[in-house]
Amino acid sequence: MQFSTLALAVGLTAATAQAQDKGTVHLAYVEWSSEVASTNVVRAALEQQGYEVEMTALSAAAMWQAVASGDADAMVAAWLPTTHQDYMDRVGESVEDLGPNLDGTKLGLVVPDYSELETISDINDHADALGNQIIGIDPGAGLMGLTEDVIEAYDLDINLRSGSGATMTAALSSAITNEEEVVVTGWTPHWMFARWDLRYLDDPENVYGGAEQIHTVTRQGLEEDMPEAYAILDNFEWSPEQMGEVMLMNQEEDADPYENAKKWVEENQDVVQKWLSES
């Protein structure tokens, strides 16, 4: 019994040393609920394989620049081919696009299902009820730039209010509680669609574009420096439904996104092993 305990201790010490030898993976992300979920899940998967992982929350522009400059190793938060295309155009030669990790995204203007608005062009007729504003998110987000284009394309006489993902959903929640008109910048996947009855306003000019994908993007040279971590990042993919599970967990009171990610990874090893199988 003593020998078994000693052997176990030695084994754990060796495993810890091996983990420390694998080095640290630096992940950059934007503080959208979807990217908080995905980045923490990737962190948990990498840690399961013995890596140390550091996460840095940045604006979208700074996130792309961090990966391009090598200050960050990777991101799993690149919305392409529309939302983040400007950033890709600027730094594309300094990064490596590993392709989509999630299919089925959408961008647009979102209203409660009870709203009288049907299309984006209806906004001018209801500007007073909307407080003459569309509720947006962080000003550096590609979604905000697209919404500025929407305002111009539809000749909307309304203001785009910047803030954050949290202030946007707080304003949405308040309006719904009082059954008031509200228009917010939205995207799928997002937990708000599971919490409330919402819909997108029709965009006949197709300014927001069609469905997008979320891509994994790494710095140049990561494959040579950390081939196993690179392979895990390359293999990482999941569905909007799976991401939605984690996002809903993160909306619970006093939720810890990192702890929720570890729990999800532990309970979904069949999915996670596919990310690790070729690494």
Side-chain angles (χ1 to χ4, degrees):
M1 196 66 154
Q2 289 180 338
F3 176 78
S4 297
T5 303
L6 177 61
L8 178 60
V10 170
L12 288 173
T13 301
T16 301
Q18 182 183 11
Q20 292 173 341
D21 289 342
K22 285 192 173 182
T24 301
V25 179
H26 297 261
L27 300 177
Y29 70 105
V30 286
E31 286 192 308
W32 296 0
S33 57
S34 53
E35 312 325 319
V36 170
S38 60
T39 307
N40 275 284
V41 164
V42 169
R43 174 186 176 182
L46 285 165
E47 288 178 342
Q48 181 176 309
Q49 291 303 102
Y51 287 94
E52 295 287 333
V53 179
E54 292 184 2
M55 292 173 49
T56 304
L58 300 166
S59 68
M63 174 182 70
W64 278 87
Q65 187 57 46
V67 177
S69 66
D71 289 338
D73 293 308
M75 57 175 156
V76 293
W79 285 60
L80 296 168
T82 304
T83 309
H84 288 168
Q85 189 59 49
D86 283 349
Y87 306 131
M88 176 62 88
D89 290 343
R90 292 176 204 167
V91 304
E93 293 184 359
S94 301
V95 300
E96 184 176 354
D97 181 3
L98 303 188
N101 59 59
L102 184 142
D103 270 317
T105 68
K106 182 178 173 64
L107 301 172
L109 294 179
V110 174
V111 297
D113 194 51
Y114 60 73
S115 173
E116 293 184 11
L117 285 73
E118 296 292 337
T119 73
I120 293 174
S121 56
D122 291 337
I123 289 176
N124 276 340
D125 294 335
H126 296 81
D128 288 344
L130 294 168
N132 290 297
Q133 62 184 358
I134 295 170
I135 310 299
I137 53 173
D138 48 295
L143 175 58
M144 293 291 279
L146 282 171
T147 304
E148 293 282 8
D149 294 341
V150 163
I151 290 173
E152 182 177 349
Y154 287 89
D155 196 23
L156 300 180
D157 186 18
I158 199 162
N159 298 313
L160 175 59
R161 192 181 91 188
S162 62
S164 66
T167 59
M168 178 273 287
T169 52
L172 179 62
S173 176
S174 176
I176 290 173
T177 297
N178 296 297
E179 287 203 24
E180 297 171 343
E181 289 285 5
V182 65
V183 175
V184 303
T185 56
W187 63 94
T188 304
H190 195 291
W191 58 265
M192 64 184 180
F193 289 94
R195 177 161 295 182
W196 299 299
D197 291 328
L198 306 172
R199 56 183 168 81
Y200 285 94
L201 292 179
D202 290 340
D203 176 18
E205 300 293 331
N206 200 34
V207 181
Y208 283 113
E212 288 196 288
Q213 300 166 321
I214 305 178
H215 287 225
T216 299
V217 174
T218 70
R219 64 171 173 83
Q220 293 286 357
L222 182 64
E223 184 175 15
E224 293 74 22
D225 297 341
M226 292 183 170
E228 185 182 353
Y230 175 92
I232 293 169
L233 289 163
D234 197 15
N235 291 337
F236 169 61
E237 62 177 348
W238 60 345
S239 69
E241 291 74 23
Q242 290 164 335
M243 179 186 273
E245 292 175 15
V246 180
M247 287 194 290
L248 277 175
M249 292 165 66
N250 290 344
Q251 293 308 306
E252 295 173 4
E253 189 174 356
D254 298 324
D256 183 329
Y258 174 52
E259 293 300 324
N260 287 339
K262 289 196 294 185
K263 180 181 179 183
W264 191 92
V265 164
E266 182 181 335
E267 294 175 352
N268 292 270
Q269 280 295 301
D270 56 331
V271 177
V272 175
Q273 287 303 316
K274 293 178 183 176
W275 309 338
L276 310 178
S277 60
E278 299 174 16
S279 61

